[in-house]
Amino acid sequence: MYTQAASAITPALIIYLIDASGSMDEPLGAATKMALVQQALAAALKDMARRSMRGGTLQRRYKIALLAYNAEVNDLLGGVRDLADVLQAGLPSIVPEGVTDTAAGFTAVERLIDMHLPALQDCPAPLICHLTDGQFTTADPTPIVKRLRALSVRDGPVLIENIYVAQDMLRTPVDDWQAWQGVLRPGDLVDEYARFLLRLSSPIPDSYRENINSYGYHLAPGAALFFPGAHSELMRMAFAISTATQMK
């Protein structure tokens, strides 16, 4: 599974689901959490563009959706868009405010996936990249995420990645993130909500792991699509893996 290459005929769909609650306006290092998210998103789009260049022309190998949620869900791109169109228009700003209705966010993703999945059967499995900095304040999103993970294309089931922007969640401190093997088991985490998000996350497909490791990382077989987002370097790595589908 997860070997279908992204091409102009079989583009990869990536849906970014971003927590836009008020706490995302809190400082993280020299910037706010949301500022770092937007920087990491912009870097991920640039990486997609670099991977999509052929003969000096940007191939339409990626399709992007960007949803931000708090008490409401905002579809910031107006549906699924080609990467080239997103790059031309630029990423919209996300203003943090309100509560964390994670279930509403994933419900909106489910509607989007249901609409587009029939046309994606020969494409790479869609990937949903969810970023949050805290616990949901409304309904539990678990049943919705389970339904999403049960959906498939020929390449494999829909992938769920979670990025958790919180400090001190790992049992063993990491000095060198490039040498880090990733989260392999619940016992690697001391934060209960981190364990909750880990349970919702897909395993990293070997093809994705090999592609991201070619940049100097050392994620191990069996690691989950779950990442701390405690600072800019980690957030960039987490968003980078969302782009790591196979290429033709």
Side-chain angles (χ1 to χ4, degrees):
M1 295 189 294
Y2 305 113
T3 57
Q4 173 61 52
S7 70
I9 299 172
T10 57
L13 172 61
I14 304 173
I15 300 174
Y16 292 104
L17 178 63
I18 307 298
D19 176 356
S21 61
S23 58
M24 289 295 291
D25 205 27
E26 294 172 354
L28 184 63
T32 65
K33 296 174 184 176
M34 187 58 75
L36 291 177
V37 168
Q38 299 224 208
Q39 291 168 17
L41 263 175
L45 294 183
K46 288 180 181 177
D47 190 50
M48 287 183 221
R50 180 189 61 77
R51 300 186 80 227
S52 299
M53 294 299 290
R54 184 175 180 181
T57 301
L58 181 64
Q59 304 294 309
R60 295 182 178 269
R61 292 175 171 172
Y62 288 98
K63 290 185 176 292
I64 311 296
L66 176 58
L67 306 177
Y69 71 90
N70 37 51
E72 300 178 346
V73 182
N74 293 307
D75 183 347
L76 297 173
L77 301 180
V80 172
R81 296 287 177 262
D82 285 328
L83 172 63
D85 298 333
V86 178
L87 291 171
Q88 184 175 15
L91 281 173
S93 296
I94 304 174
V95 179
E97 60 181 353
V99 298
T100 309
D101 193 346
T102 308
F106 274 108
T107 297
V109 169
E110 186 177 33
R111 286 196 295 266
L112 202 60
I113 286 280
D114 285 343
M115 187 185 310
H116 291 275
L117 200 66
L120 298 172
Q121 286 302 310
D122 294 322
C123 299
L127 186 145
I128 300 157
C129 180
H130 170 234
L131 180 141
T132 185
D133 73 332
Q135 297 187 30
F136 56 85
T137 52
T138 55
D140 185 344
T142 300
I144 310 158
V145 176
K146 285 183 175 179
R147 290 198 300 269
L148 284 165
R149 290 186 61 180
L151 298 174
S152 295
V153 296
R154 293 183 182 90
D155 189 45
V158 168
L159 294 166
I160 305 286
E161 176 182 3
N162 281 289
I163 305 170
Y164 185 27
V165 185
Q167 301 282 352
D168 303 323
M169 72 180 75
L170 295 174
R171 186 171 301 280
T172 303
V174 177
D175 295 321
D176 180 359
W177 288 104
Q178 286 207 314
W180 181 54
Q181 292 192 320
V183 176
L184 297 166
R185 58 192 68 84
D188 292 344
L189 301 167
V190 296
D191 182 292
E192 186 54 41
Y193 197 64
R195 292 194 192 108
F196 170 80
L197 291 172
L198 175 65
R199 290 193 293 271
L200 300 185
S201 304
S202 305
I204 302 176
D206 284 341
S207 57
Y208 281 68
R209 185 178 57 81
E210 291 164 3
N211 286 335
I212 199 69
N213 284 352
S214 69
Y215 292 97
Y217 294 103
H218 291 82
L219 295 172
L225 279 169
F226 171 87
F227 298 93
H231 54 73
S232 57
E233 178 188 351
L234 268 176
M235 207 177 289
R236 282 176 178 263
M237 179 186 75
F239 276 114
I241 202 166
S242 69
T243 75
T245 184
Q246 295 288 81
M247 287 303 210
K248 184 178 291 184

